[in-house]
Amino acid sequence: MSKVEEILKQMTIEEKISLLVGAGSSTTVPGAAGETRSISRLGIPAIVLADGPAGVRIAPLRFGVQGEFYATHFPNAIMLASTWNLEVVEKVGKAIGEEAKEYGVDILLAPALNIHRTVLGGRNFEYFSEDPLLSGVIVAAYVRGVQSVGVGATLKHFVGNDQEAGRMYVNIVVDERALREIYLRAFEIAIELSKPWAIMAAYNKLNSYYCTQNLWLLTKVLREDWGFEGLVMTDWFAGDNPIEQVKAGVDLIMPGDDGIVKKLIDAYKRGELRIEDIEERDRKVLSIILKSLKYQGYRWSNKPDLDEHARIAYEAALEGIVLLKNDGALPIKSSSRVALFGRGSYYTVRGGLGSGYVHARYTVSIAEGLRERGFKVDEDVEKVYRRYMLPLYELGDCIEMFRRLRDTAVKSDNKGFLTWLLFDISEMLIEYYRTLHLPEDPFDDGFLEEIAKRNDVAIVTISRISGEGWDRKPVEGDFYLRDDEYRLLLRVSETFHKHGKKVIVVLNIPSPIDIVSWRDLVDAILVIWLPGQEGGRALADILLGKVSPSGKLPLTWPRDLEQDAATRMFPYEPRQELVYREGIYVGYRYYDTFGVEPAYEFGYGLSYTKFEFSDMYVEKDVDKIKIKLKIRNVGGYPGKEVVQVYIKPPRGSIDKPYQELKGFKKTKTLKPGEEDEVVIDIPIKYLASYVKGRWVVEKGLYEVRIGASSRDIKVSKSIEIEREYCFNTKWIQIECS
Ligand code: BGC
């Protein structure tokens, strides 16, 4: 008999039920989001679950305890996806896993792979891409990394939490084709490629049922179609009926309380819950507990290698920076004198707010990163920002106060709550306050003139922050520039250009902002997203040309919010129901199919060097398309290119997007003149569309289009799929007729 069955046999019904309900926020690891209930007489420990996607989220200081518990803040998911680099993302995953392990965390509540359905989603920074393949494949690398050290990863939020408006109750209405091809597909690919230990059901309803109470979603799709064997948990306080949750397929209700245990016991006694279902859920929870580091008696050190992890955070940020525009302004010499404008240059936003927030040891701002790399940053410009932002510095001193508090043992019955209040809420308020409206353009003409004369280049940083619980807004100061921001760009550009000097804009943002109204004013634009704690250093090395930019957009950058169907229907106010009327036409699938010109297309990103794509070879094998081609660096700088494979289907009877990403590969660093051969295999099933309950690949001539972005196609060839292929929802081939 297996260990799980052995334990199950000894458990009372009360124990069996209590194991399905979390024990509230963690007492083992302060600041961790939750833990399970222990059963000490059977040797079952409580295992600890902690956020989140950009680093382990635990309290950095503890009452009455010496020592610090800071975690590394890695680049946020949207930036990890911008790397298109599986090795780098796997390293990040492993480093986060190691920090979890050394801080006593058994299950990481990440990664989050909802879809960038619009640019306005409040948690877009925590999510990877508008494309399910890119999301799924990158997430799989992240999960492999986390799990390689014995910590479990959790895919979240399953499914449709693509915006924050009314997230606790909104009913997302979406047709099954769009679900299967876009929203579920990202999860399906990640599960297939990386076997995550757990999945978290989302807050919202899906087609009338809360995701946490949705039998179709949690049992039919997840367990039966995909064969998922891991644990299903709820999002924190999700849904409205724990009995329905257990029936639908939830194994662990989080964060959980005694009231829920009682409700479930009563339901069992009334005959509403079957013992078979309860035991089935227990098996999942027990399997995870038995696999956990806690069960195996791992003694965590509370001393992860933060320095090594900072290096990995730097490396990932370096690869995720996207160069949008470069009219000969970049790279610049390290001896350059630089005038740094914009408060984000001094208060660089490293991450977003909410459960994705990480308590990091430090943030290297842009100013600090540049100085460290030898740039001469103009002190008079800095002084102006520092002067009118003085209160912010004082707020920063609160952290010092926390430190002092830590050294005094605080007597409280509810340390978990106090910890949350002190560290989470106050730190986040400070972060938020830093991005509030402070005038960006307090300079008079004479001052600007002087600055333009004595510096070689101007860098203007534009910052935004977003977070869990609210979406981005179509207003000045959020999607649009405020007047003072625009004026700053205009005046700095005019003055510097008059003196023959270049202006570079750095976008320090959670997801795209309006760009067309001002991009012509400036010479170069770099996107550093919310880059984590090492952003300033990574940016400095890109500016210097130590490394050429190699990030590519994981989502379409719109010209305006009216451009695509999903954004036009964006729920600016919470509502009961949201219909995904655009169906499968999300992101570039919409722009390409309906001939709409974005500001920058999906997959876009410039380099300091140039690449030549040649010798394309494509062949159909039994169940895959095999592609080979050569990439040569024909420019003057070393660099990496992302080879992107899009497939354009024949005109058949199924309504399909113009083209879809079906494979990609980032090259190694190629020196000028160096060549690399890239091999990419695309399973035939990746070409399928979901039609009337099954997956169908139509026969005909498919165009394999390979490029440096979705619209910069360099080489292409057609390939004949000689017969129709059909698969059931388990991906077993079936007769088509
Ligand atoms: C978030 C989750 C998170 C959980 C625990 C919820 O509010 O939606 O992403 O993992 O809290 O902190």
Side-chain angles (χ1 to χ4, degrees):
M1 192 188 301
S2 75
K3 187 83 192 160
V4 167
E5 296 303 327
E6 227 173 77
I7 298 172
L8 199 57
K9 245 181 86 186
Q10 300 173 57
M11 287 166 78
T12 64
I13 182 65
E14 286 77 14
E15 284 168 341
K16 284 179 183 167
I17 289 178
S18 75
L19 203 61
L20 310 186
V21 182
S25 59
S26 177
T27 48
T28 317
V29 178
E35 64 186 35
T36 58
R37 284 163 196 259
S38 59
I39 308 175
S40 40
R41 72 173 191 97
L42 298 175
I44 306 290
I47 61 169
V48 177
L49 300 87
D51 289 299
V56 180
R57 178 169 152 265
I58 55 173
L61 304 169
R62 294 178 189 170
F63 297 116
V65 176
Q66 287 298 326
E68 299 183 335
F69 307 84
Y70 286 100
T72 307
H73 200 317
F74 294 88
N76 290 274
I78 194 167
M79 188 176 210
L80 292 181
S82 302
T83 69
W84 297 60
N85 186 329
L86 303 186
E87 269 165 51
V88 165
V89 174
E90 188 165 336
K91 264 198 230 172
V92 169
K94 180 158 182 256
I96 297 180
E98 277 164 0
E99 288 190 18
K101 180 172 180 178
E102 293 313 325
Y103 280 137
V105 172
D106 301 283
I107 307 273
L108 185 78
L109 301 170
L113 73 166
N114 297 86
I115 291 289
H116 294 154
R117 179 174 169 255
T118 71
V119 293
L120 295 173
R123 295 182 85 173
N124 273 5
F125 71 96
E126 289 186 72
Y127 303 158
F128 290 80
S129 170
E130 69 185 20
D131 181 80
L133 180 82
L134 181 61
S135 300
V137 172
I138 295 270
V139 157
Y142 182 119
V143 170
R144 281 196 298 272
V146 173
Q147 297 191 164
S148 69
V149 300
V151 169
T154 309
L155 303 188
K156 66 185 187 183
H157 312 87
F158 192 54
V159 65
N161 187 178
D162 310 301
Q163 51 279 307
E164 293 295 277
R167 65 172 179 157
M168 303 293 285
Y169 53 83
V170 63
N171 180 25
I172 301 296
V173 179
V174 47
D175 65 75
E176 190 167 346
R177 177 168 181 204
L179 262 179
R180 294 266 187 185
E181 289 187 26
I182 310 284
Y183 300 96
L184 291 172
R185 189 80 184 114
F187 285 89
E188 187 178 19
I189 291 171
I191 289 172
E192 182 184 341
L193 298 180
S194 65
K195 302 226 170 327
W197 287 20
I199 193 164
M200 182 193 289
Y203 284 129
N204 49 279
K205 293 176 188 150
L206 177 73
N207 295 330
S208 301
Y209 297 94
Y210 278 110
C211 289
T212 58
Q213 294 162 205
N214 197 316
L215 186 72
W216 178 82
L217 181 67
L218 302 184
T219 297
K220 163 79 173 83
V221 173
L222 184 61
R223 297 278 188 215
E224 291 169 19
D225 289 348
W226 302 350
F228 179 70
E229 286 172 357
L231 173 123
V232 179
M233 72 179 85
T234 64
D235 199 343
W236 269 229
F237 307 103
D240 65 356
N241 187 334
I243 303 156
E244 290 305 318
Q245 291 179 331
V246 174
K247 282 192 193 163
V250 164
D251 305 306
L252 182 61
I253 298 175
M254 289 305 286
D257 59 46
D258 293 345
I260 297 179
V261 177
K262 183 169 179 314
K263 268 191 196 155
L264 294 180
I265 292 178
D266 290 347
Y268 169 72
K269 287 187 181 150
R270 287 196 305 271
E272 262 182 70
L273 275 178
R274 302 183 321 148
I275 186 68
E276 296 78 12
D277 286 339
I278 295 169
E279 287 183 344
E280 196 46 39
R281 311 287 177 264
D282 278 323
R283 285 190 185 95
K284 303 293 183 202
V285 183
L286 284 172
S287 305
I288 295 289
I289 294 177
L290 295 193
K291 275 208 273 191
S292 71
L293 292 162
K294 274 296 166 325
Y295 186 79
Q296 287 158 21
Y298 183 75
R299 297 170 75 97
W300 62 98
S301 64
N302 281 327
K303 289 197 170 37
D305 190 346
L306 295 179
D307 292 334
E308 168 61 11
H309 296 169
R311 214 193 44 68
I312 294 170
Y314 158 80
E315 194 188 329
L318 206 57
E319 294 246 346
I321 291 176
V322 184
L323 176 62
L324 294 182
K325 171 176 178 169
N326 188 14
D327 288 348
L330 290 168
I332 53 179
K333 292 200 198 69
S334 71
S335 55
S336 305
R337 284 159 307 176
V338 182
L340 270 184
F341 296 93
R343 62 167 186 265
S345 299
Y346 306 97
Y347 280 122
T348 310
V349 183
R350 65 167 192 251
L353 306 180
S355 60
Y357 185 80
V358 183
H359 299 278
R361 275 189 298 171
Y362 57 80
T363 310
V364 180
S365 69
I366 292 172
E368 287 160 346
L370 263 61
R371 279 219 173 89
E372 206 181 281
R373 297 307 201 241
F375 288 105
K376 289 181 204 62
V377 176
D378 195 297
E379 288 179 3
D380 287 343
V381 182
E382 177 163 7
K383 264 188 218 145
V384 174
Y385 282 100
R386 292 228 182 258
R387 202 167 48 236
Y388 79 80
M389 296 197 307
L390 199 63
L392 299 182
Y393 278 84
E394 283 164 2
L395 263 179
D397 289 346
C398 291
I399 305 286
E400 268 315 305
M401 194 181 78
F402 297 155
R403 278 210 179 96
R404 268 177 260 129
L405 262 179
R406 176 220 33 207
D407 296 335
T408 333
V410 175
K411 296 227 177 325
S412 157
D413 293 341
N414 197 344
K415 287 186 185 164
F417 179 71
L418 257 182
T419 312
W420 175 75
L421 196 71
L422 275 174
F423 298 116
D424 261 57
I425 297 301
S426 1
E427 263 198 60
M428 282 197 247
L429 277 178
I430 294 169
E431 289 292 326
Y432 183 65
Y433 185 64
R434 281 176 181 169
T435 64
L436 285 183
H437 184 173
L438 292 166
E440 286 286 26
D441 183 27
F443 309 101
D444 63 41
D445 287 349
F447 181 87
L448 270 190
E449 187 68 29
E450 192 50 39
I451 297 299
K453 265 194 224 152
R454 69 172 188 233
N455 285 286
D456 301 311
V457 62
I459 297 180
V460 184
T461 305
I462 297 182
S463 287
R464 295 286 184 268
I465 197 162
S466 72
E468 181 180 341
W470 80 92
D471 289 308
R472 299 199 37 224
K473 295 191 176 61
V475 297
E476 291 174 12
D478 200 338
F479 184 76
Y480 298 102
L481 294 193
R482 291 191 314 264
D483 287 351
D484 57 304
E485 289 174 320
Y486 182 78
R487 218 171 35 238
L488 177 73
L489 282 180
L490 189 69
R491 294 178 66 228
V492 167
S493 300
E494 273 173 11
T495 322
F496 274 72
H497 287 159
K498 196 169 81 193
H499 291 278
K501 311 214 168 138
K502 303 277 190 192
V503 178
I504 299 160
V505 169
V506 174
L507 295 176
N508 174 207
I509 51 178
S511 60
I513 59 168
D514 167 51
I515 205 163
V516 286
S517 69
W518 57 267
R519 69 177 162 187
D520 293 342
L521 296 176
V522 302
D523 307 292
I525 306 174
L526 283 158
V527 190
I528 63 166
W529 306 111
L530 304 184
Q533 67 184 46
E534 292 288 325
R537 287 193 179 117
L539 175 70
D541 286 342
I542 292 281
L543 290 170
L544 272 179
K546 189 173 153 201
V547 177
S548 173
S550 63
K552 302 275 184 172
L553 295 179
L555 78 173
T556 306
W557 200 299
R559 296 178 69 89
D560 205 346
L561 296 173
E562 293 302 308
Q563 272 204 297
D564 67 276
T567 316
R568 280 197 295 271
M569 292 180 278
F570 195 77
Y572 293 114
E573 293 300 328
R575 49 168 103 149
Q576 292 298 329
E577 188 161 286
L578 177 61
V579 185
Y580 284 12
R581 291 209 190 100
E582 73 285 357
I584 56 169
Y585 294 102
V586 179
Y588 69 87
R589 287 171 169 77
Y590 181 87
Y591 284 78
D592 293 348
T593 310
F594 300 103
V596 181
E597 192 68 32
Y600 298 105
E601 73 270 15
F602 176 79
Y604 175 88
L606 301 174
S607 168
Y608 296 156
T609 191
K610 286 208 156 33
F611 297 94
E612 195 179 77
F613 291 52
S614 70
D615 298 17
M616 173 179 173
Y617 166 88
V618 47
E619 182 197 44
K620 161 133 181 344
D621 206 349
V622 187
D623 56 357
K624 56 176 173 276
I625 296 174
K626 298 178 81 161
I627 297 163
K628 259 195 253 165
L629 72 153
K630 289 195 173 134
I631 307 293
R632 180 188 284 274
N633 183 343
V634 292
Y637 290 90
K640 297 181 180 181
E641 178 60 295
V642 179
V643 178
Q644 306 169 33
V645 183
Y646 295 87
I647 298 216
K648 179 170 174 251
R651 269 193 182 280
S653 61
I654 309 174
D655 189 18
K656 283 175 80 103
Y658 174 78
Q659 61 174 3
E660 291 177 288
L661 181 77
K662 295 300 174 190
F664 64 90
K665 179 111 194 238
K666 192 166 197 172
T667 65
K668 59 178 187 183
T669 301
L670 297 174
K671 294 193 210 77
E674 198 181 340
E675 188 176 83
D676 195 13
E677 187 179 65
V678 171
V679 180
I680 297 175
D681 285 348
I682 296 173
I684 292 288
K685 68 177 191 183
Y686 278 21
L687 308 186
S689 299
Y690 189 77
V691 191
K692 296 198 186 108
R694 58 189 187 166
W695 293 98
V696 180
V697 181
E698 286 187 303
K699 66 178 179 189
L701 212 53
Y702 286 72
E703 192 184 328
V704 180
R705 298 154 56 80
I706 305 184
S709 86
S710 57
R711 293 192 173 202
D712 184 12
I713 300 300
K714 307 282 194 185
V715 284
S716 77
K717 277 207 161 100
S718 292
I719 186 156
E720 179 81 28
I721 302 288
E722 72 297 335
R723 69 171 178 91
E724 202 179 10
Y725 288 77
C726 294
F727 304 87
N728 65 14
T729 49
K730 297 183 169 67
W731 289 105
I732 296 168
Q733 254 199 72
I734 51 173
E735 285 293 319
C736 284
S737 48

